[in-house]
Amino acid sequence: MSPESATPQPSQSQPGQAQPLLEVDSLTVDIDGEVGKHRILDDVSITLEPGEPMGLVGESGSGKSMTLRTILGMLPPAATVVDGEVRFRGRNILTSGSGRRYDQKVRGTGISMVFQEPAIALNPVMKVGRQITDAIAERKGLSKRASHDLAIELMDRVGIANPESRVSDYPFQLSGGMRQRVMIAAALAQEPEILLCDEPTTALDVTIQAQVLDLFRTMQQEKGLGLLYVTHDLAVVAQLCTSISVMKSGKIIEHGNLQRIFDEPQEDYTRRLLSATPRIDDGVQLERAT
Ligand SMILES: Nc1ncnc2c1ncn2[C@@H]1O[C@H](COP(=O)(O)OP(=O)(O)OP(=O)(O)O)[C@@H](O)[C@H]1O
Ligand SMILES: [Mg+2]
């Protein structure tokens, strides 16, 4: 991928409207896989408004991870952006074509991502504390001591016990759930405006999951963090998000606010996804665990 900047484009939003944080506009992506070239994203459009966290749900293979990776400019090399745009605060950050260009300056403080597999994001030969603070320490000119303290604070916030001793561990010394939390801490350390989450809490037990969801909610409400949240767990979407987009076979087939999708899904496919999930007003499972 070329590190060149994409040409800035005017925003598509109407005068008087708040600028969307993120607009994915008619995005179409092909991939050259083992079975030949095929379409993995087909005319995908998503608008993320400030203060309106969105859940992205759909069956396995429907294109959720590829959507997030396109927004982050980290598609596999075999993928081609055939058409469409990604705009961050009205500015085009991705141009289509096989020689696609992504504005890499946006990655980190603009848009950051918690990946489905920690292995993609963590460096196996670097201590986890350094991985958490690396990006921010350089930017803020933090001393070694201050950066060490920040890593410990963030590890504590994502529920890692004894962060003082864990900070010097390498990823292989941690459990899968802890690695996932390190990745979340590293993504948050960059203080991004938008956090893309790809099943970030799957490897976590229920109590830790509740703590991490609380942290996301706090960041969202207090700091205005934009969230695009991929999960199979609609109960999590109900706790965290105000709207839902539903993906099937590379397309967004339904989108709406949380209550509307839960109460009146338009598509059978959405109904099937929901049937495995308790209703919003069912209580217990959808209540915030504290
Ligand atoms: N590296 C790759 N090479 C070829 N095809 C790929 C690659 N990665 C993903 N795909 C294909 O792209 C499509 C979308 O995959 P994606 O990973 O986005 O699905 P997903 O919705 O995230 O699924 P899951 O819920 O299982 O994580 C699938 O058909 C998948 O087989
Ligand atoms: Mg995925």
Side-chain angles (χ1 to χ4, degrees):
M1 231 179 300
S2 155
E4 295 166 80
S5 301
T7 316
Q9 297 288 312
S11 167
Q12 305 289 306
S13 58
Q14 301 301 311
Q17 272 186 334
Q19 175 103 281
L21 267 180
L22 180 76
E23 295 157 285
V24 175
D25 188 358
S26 310
L27 193 65
T28 298
V29 173
D30 286 351
I31 201 157
D32 228 341
E34 281 166 17
V35 290
K37 201 168 191 162
H38 63 290
R39 189 138 292 181
I40 52 170
L41 298 182
D42 192 354
D43 201 21
V44 168
S45 292
I46 289 171
T47 302
L48 198 63
E49 304 283 358
E52 294 188 3
M54 185 189 295
L56 184 60
V57 301
E59 66 194 1
S60 187
S62 55
K64 304 179 298 295
S65 294
M66 287 300 143
T67 300
L68 298 195
R69 289 182 64 171
T70 311
I71 296 168
L72 195 70
M74 289 189 73
L75 276 169
T80 307
V81 180
V82 178
D83 201 8
E85 278 185 5
V86 177
R87 291 188 290 275
F88 172 66
R89 293 194 176 282
R91 189 163 57 88
N92 187 15
I93 56 169
L94 177 78
T95 52
S96 54
S98 51
R100 64 176 179 264
R101 299 191 299 170
Y102 185 82
D103 182 354
Q104 308 223 11
K105 288 197 291 294
V106 163
R107 207 181 287 140
T109 55
I111 306 175
S112 184
M113 177 157 166
V114 180
F115 287 87
Q116 198 164 7
E117 302 92 18
I120 297 182
L122 294 180
N123 181 342
V125 296
M126 193 191 278
K127 289 177 180 171
V128 293
R130 223 188 112 198
Q131 301 201 43
I132 292 170
T133 51
D134 228 20
I136 198 169
E138 199 176 319
R139 199 174 73 240
K140 290 196 165 175
L142 295 182
S143 68
K144 221 170 163 187
R145 181 78 238 170
S147 140
H148 183 261
D149 290 349
L150 177 65
I152 288 172
E153 184 197 320
L154 282 161
M155 286 170 85
D156 183 53
R157 290 192 80 182
V158 295
I160 294 177
N162 303 320
E164 295 82 2
S165 60
R166 290 299 188 185
V167 74
S168 305
D169 282 353
Y170 290 95
F172 77 89
Q173 294 172 288
L174 304 179
S175 68
M178 264 193 243
R179 280 199 290 270
Q180 204 160 14
R181 277 174 274 165
V182 166
M183 199 167 47
I184 292 167
L188 291 175
Q190 305 192 63
E191 300 177 347
E193 291 185 66
I194 297 173
L195 185 64
L196 309 173
C197 289
D198 200 352
E199 301 273 10
T201 62
T202 22
L204 307 182
D205 71 43
V206 178
T207 319
I208 300 291
Q209 169 167 309
Q211 184 175 347
V212 169
L213 292 181
D214 254 346
L215 178 61
F216 286 147
R217 203 173 6 240
T218 307
M219 303 284 291
Q220 191 264 314
Q221 288 169 353
E222 291 176 6
K223 307 218 161 155
L225 175 71
L227 267 182
L228 183 55
Y229 201 95
V230 166
T231 179
H232 282 97
D233 189 343
L234 278 133
V236 168
V237 175
Q239 290 177 69
L240 203 58
C241 301
T242 56
S243 68
I244 307 183
S245 287
V246 182
M247 276 198 102
K248 182 187 179 194
S249 308
K251 291 189 167 76
I252 305 278
I253 57 149
E254 181 158 12
H255 167 75
N257 78 44
L258 186 75
Q259 201 72 44
R260 206 279 291 158
I261 297 276
F262 272 77
D263 289 350
E264 302 163 41
Q266 303 294 300
E267 301 286 332
D268 282 343
Y269 175 85
T270 309
R271 240 167 259 136
R272 282 201 299 279
L273 290 177
L274 287 167
S275 64
T277 310
R279 286 180 49 80
I280 279 184
D281 45 15
D282 257 3
V284 195
Q285 227 180 319
L286 297 179
E287 259 170 24
R288 289 174 55 171
T290 47

